Amino acid sequence: MLPASVVVIRGDDLIIEMINDSNLIYWGKSREQVLGRRFLDVLPDLANQPFAGQLRRVMQTGEIIDVKESPVLFTMADGSLRETFVDYTYQPLQDLLGNTNRVLVMSFEITDRVKSRQLLEQYTEALGNLNESLSEVNDSLVKSEKRFKYFIEEAPVAIGVLQGQQLILETANSKILEVWGKNTDIIGLPLALALPELNGQPFLEILDHVFATGISRYVNEINAFLQHDGEVKELFFNVAYKAVSGLDGAVSDILIVAADVTEQVNARKAMEETMRHFRDLADLVPAKISNIQPNGEVTFYNQQWLDFAGMDFEALQSFGYDQMIHPDEVDGFHNGLQKAATERRAHIAEMRFKNRHGEYIWHLNVVSPSYDEYGNLKMWVGSTTDIQALKEEDQRKMDFVSMLSHELKTPITSIKAHVQMALRLLGRETNTPSIQKLNSSFDRIDKLLVQLTSMIGDMLDLSRLDAGRMDLSTESFAIDALIQEIVDDFRISNPQHVFDVTVHATVVINADRGRIGQVLINLIANLIKYSPNSKKVDIDLSTANNRVQIAVRDYGIGIEQKEQQRIFERFYRVDGKNEKFFGGFGIGLFLAHGIITQHGGTISVESEVGGGTTFRVHLLLNSLSAGTAITS
Ligand code: ADP
């Protein structure tokens, strides 16, 4: 991201270890062409230049080398030479044992700046020389003057000559007239009249000073407001004002040589403005934003991060991202990030970060990869949101659910005993209409109690799963028989439904039979619940790739795409009017997911709104007895 070129070079062989985009562009290479290679293999032209020697010296002595305006020559593919200039610094880097075996090279390419200055110097020098020879050599005066005029006129930079203290514009080439937005009419006028808009700008004062003292002036990136066709334009120039002396030694003229650098200055300003804009943006969002290099180095923290940590950027950077993470979550974070990198996706995790008071606060951390134009990972962008309040709310909910289900168990067990007793006593009574009524009422109560017990069971399971205390008691059993058993029960309680069961083989698996049954009951109950207008349910058991698949399908209301991943979350219920229509807590699928993943299996959903829903459960196959398709 830095506008400077950065490269890290290791050992006597000068192996290129790390390099940023700016440097690759400057070298004209891709990352693959340079990483892990020797510096001189990558850039053989640099062998006769001082850099390799300097790099080794920095590693031997640990000194810092800082060079300004160093020429660097590259041989191009067509054999021509590309001359560039850089300011560069070689800084030694130590490894963990304290040995200096790497050099951090930071360089700024300043070719444009140097070249435009050289051009200015060349022209002022050449014009100065010509002028000198003019004053000395009388007989070649005419010839020289012609050459002088020709030279000025054809020059690619803006050139003008001001004569005498009044600064009469004696010569102006077409380039200077163009940048001034004027035509040849102004030649012969004092500059103050030729360019009245200069009034109030620093130029006339500078020129007066040059004329009075005979000391030439060079200014870079000076801005001038100039009138172009009635419109004021701000332009930037690198300018040389050179005092020219006559034969008597007194200043007679001032030579102006100017290069229009407006475009470069504007481009730089626009870039600075964009960077400021994005920095402001990053500071104003409520989330904590960070940029992390692929090597783990953090190059940006927004204001929210700094406020949270109570440190400034440098302090937080050297403190380190990992130090902020709860120790229990550091490994998980790195493994997750590595996995995300290979799968080219964001890493999302709930994790705790330490605040300025040393307290760990829950955050949702979304770390997304950003790639360069070659598709290489350029950096990670971290967006970290405080979810402490949500977590606490969640915990309160869980504690409540756990407490409630425990508390409910006792009275319900006792109600159930009373109902059983009442049913037994009623069985002994004579069969009068009121006894019959009572009997069927208690029967109904008994069934509702079964439902209630199962709901409380679910709630208890929920708190167990959350606390990681759901134990599995595994055994070998035939899953096809279990399905058949469950469907038979459903057929009794839902006589109007059609259950279409297809079993492709008799399949024995090693799992917790009760828990798997609980999952299937849950799924089938959902199929019935969420299909108010369809009475058909398909159940299909098959095996492939050493796994057993149970697919259950309904032709009901379906689930919107964006909800499909979320329905397995705890307490998640699809929003909308359906919620009131279909009762439920939103824990059935969460439990199903928890139980199946604890078995090392997967559960997934495919659905279409109005077109029905299919849930697929995959479990590892224990042993398979081949058989022909049995359909019931
Ligand atoms: P509950 O049914 O108690 O709300 P679940 O965890 O079993 O909770 O299901 C979560 C949500 O998923 C339900 O609220 C429902 O919106 C949706 N859902 C589950 N099964 C189906 C299905 N077969 N068809 C349509 N929607 C379903």
Side-chain angles (χ1 to χ4, degrees), residues 53 66 89 124 186 200 203 217-219 244 254 263 275 310 314-315 317 335 343 371 386 392 442 471 567 597 627:
D66 191 5
T89 310
T124 36
I186 61 166
F203 304 97
R217 262 301 274 287
Y218 300 88
V219 260
V244 181
I254 298 176
E263 229 168 90
M275 281 177 71
E314 283 72 24
Q317 194 187 33
N335 294 340
E343 291 169 13
Y371 302 102
D386 186 334
E392 283 168 9
F442 276 109
D471 301 323
I567 54 173
T597 35

Side-chain angles (χ1 to χ4, degrees), residues 57-58 61-67 88-92 104:
R57 201 170 85 215
V58 170
T61 64
E63 69 181 294
I64 294 175
I65 294 184
D66 191 5
V67 181
Y88 66 87
T89 310
Y90 288 176
Q91 195 166 349
L104 171 71

Side-chain angles (χ1 to χ4, degrees), residues 522 526-527 529-530 554 557-559 567 572-574 583-590 613 615:
N522 216 312
N526 271 351
L527 302 189
K529 180 157 92 177
Y530 296 106
D554 66 34
I557 60 170
I559 307 165
I567 54 173
Y572 193 80
R573 308 207 64 225
V574 175
F585 291 122
I587 53 177
L589 287 180
F590 172 72
T613 306
F615 284 95

Side-chain angles (χ1 to χ4, degrees), residues 483 487 499-502 524 537-541 550-553:
I483 291 174
V487 169
F499 296 86
D500 195 351
V501 183
T502 311
I524 298 172
V537 171
D538 300 338
I539 298 151
D540 181 280
L541 175 72
I550 308 157
V552 293
R553 188 201 196 305

